[in-house]
Amino acid sequence: QQRQKLEALQRQRLELEEHQRQQQLEEQQREQEEQRSRQQRLKEHQEQHHLQLKQQLEEQKRQRQLEQHQRQEQQQLDAEQRQRQELQKRRERELESQQLKQQQQLEEEQLRRQELEQQRQKLEALQRQRLELEEHQRQQQLEEQQREQEEQRSRQQRLKEHQEQHHLQLKQQLEEQKRQRQLEQHQRQEQQQLDAEQRQRQELQ
């Protein structure tokens, strides 16, 4: 009985040990399976994270390229805008310079016309003065001739009536002739001066 009892105990112990080994084996297999599962999930998570990181890097690269392209386009647009503004300013300056030049030419032309008009009026005034002077001289000569004729008749009458005053009258006649020559000489000088002024005006015109 003791032997049977020991054998039974021994069998129970062996069965218990076998059961424990079986449980340990299953536990190890379960842990290994869980470990593989965790490693697989970790791997997948790492791969997913790597993929996301790669996508983020690609997105950042694409974003930088897009921003660079936009900056280049903006720089080109700014450069074109500056060129248009400079061209506009240059055209405005050229137009302003052309308008100023035209204004100066117009003012010079108006001044030249005014000077020509003043010269024409001056020449007309001088010509009127010359004609008036010539008319005045002709009138003086006519009056002088009439006066001389009257005096000549008076002298002849006085000579006929007053023979005793012949010497005095002769002296007066000589003095009158001298004055007449001086007057004619003075008139010739005035006429020469007028003719010289007329030639100067004609040359000026």
Side-chain angles (χ1 to χ4, degrees):
Q1 291 178 352
Q2 288 179 353
R3 184 182 60 80
Q4 291 177 354
K5 191 176 182 179
L6 287 172
E7 289 178 356
L9 290 172
Q10 189 174 4
R11 281 196 303 273
Q12 289 178 357
R13 182 178 61 81
L14 291 174
E15 289 176 358
L16 181 59
E17 290 177 355
E18 181 63 24
H19 179 69
Q20 288 177 348
R21 283 195 302 272
Q22 188 67 30
Q23 283 183 340
Q24 288 177 354
L25 181 61
E26 292 176 357
E27 183 69 22
Q28 289 176 356
Q29 290 177 352
R30 186 168 60 253
E31 289 178 357
Q32 291 176 357
E33 184 66 25
E34 290 178 357
Q35 182 70 22
R36 284 194 300 272
S37 177
R38 284 195 300 271
Q39 290 176 354
Q40 182 66 27
R41 286 195 302 271
L42 180 61
K43 182 179 179 181
E44 291 176 355
H45 179 72
Q46 290 176 348
E47 290 177 352
Q48 182 68 24
H49 179 70
H50 179 71
L51 180 61
Q52 290 177 353
L53 182 60
K54 183 178 179 181
Q55 290 176 350
Q56 287 177 358
L57 292 175
E58 290 177 352
E59 179 64 23
Q60 290 176 357
K61 181 179 178 182
R62 189 186 65 79
Q63 185 66 27
R64 286 193 299 272
Q65 290 176 350
L66 178 60
E67 290 176 356
Q68 182 179 3
H69 180 67
Q70 290 176 347
R71 283 195 301 272
Q72 290 175 352
E73 287 183 346
Q74 186 63 40
Q75 290 173 355
Q76 184 177 359
L77 290 173
D78 293 339
E80 292 176 354
Q81 179 68 20
R82 286 193 298 272
Q83 288 178 356
R84 287 193 297 270
Q85 290 176 352
E86 290 175 357
L87 179 61
Q88 181 68 22
K89 289 180 180 178
R90 186 166 63 251
R91 289 177 178 174
E92 290 176 355
R93 287 194 298 269
E94 290 175 355
L95 180 60
E96 184 178 357
S97 176
Q98 186 176 3
Q99 290 177 348
L100 181 60
K101 185 177 180 181
Q102 291 176 354
Q103 182 67 24
Q104 290 176 349
Q105 290 177 351
L106 181 60
E107 291 177 355
E108 291 175 356
E109 180 65 20
Q110 290 177 349
L111 183 60
R112 187 180 65 84
R113 290 181 180 179
Q114 289 176 358
E115 291 177 352
L116 289 175
E117 180 63 21
Q118 290 176 356
Q119 290 177 359
R120 185 186 65 79
Q121 293 177 357
K122 195 173 186 180
L123 288 174
E124 288 179 354
L126 290 173
Q127 190 172 5
R128 283 194 302 270
Q129 290 178 0
R130 182 182 62 81
L131 292 174
E132 291 174 357
L133 181 60
E134 289 177 354
E135 180 63 26
H136 181 65
Q137 288 177 350
R138 282 194 300 269
Q139 188 67 26
Q140 282 183 338
Q141 289 176 357
L142 180 60
E143 292 175 356
E144 185 71 22
Q145 287 175 1
Q146 291 175 352
R147 187 169 58 253
E148 287 177 355
Q149 289 175 0
E150 184 64 27
E151 288 178 356
Q152 182 68 23
R153 284 192 300 268
S154 177
R155 284 194 303 270
Q156 288 176 356
Q157 183 66 25
R158 287 193 303 272
L159 180 63
K160 182 179 178 181
E161 292 176 353
H162 305 286
Q163 290 294 330
E164 65 277 7
Q165 296 179 356
H166 175 70
H167 179 70
L168 180 61
Q169 291 176 352
L170 181 60
K171 184 179 179 180
Q172 291 177 348
Q173 186 175 4
L174 291 174
E175 291 177 354
E176 181 64 25
Q177 290 176 356
K178 180 180 179 181
R179 188 186 65 79
Q180 180 63 26
R181 286 194 300 272
Q182 291 176 350
L183 178 62
E184 290 177 354
Q185 183 179 1
H186 179 67
Q187 290 177 349
R188 283 195 300 273
Q189 290 176 353
E190 288 183 349
Q191 186 62 39
Q192 289 174 358
Q193 184 177 359
L194 290 173
D195 293 339
E197 291 177 353
Q198 179 64 24
R199 285 194 299 273
Q200 289 180 356
R201 287 193 297 271
Q202 289 177 354
E203 289 176 355
L204 176 63
Q205 188 171 2

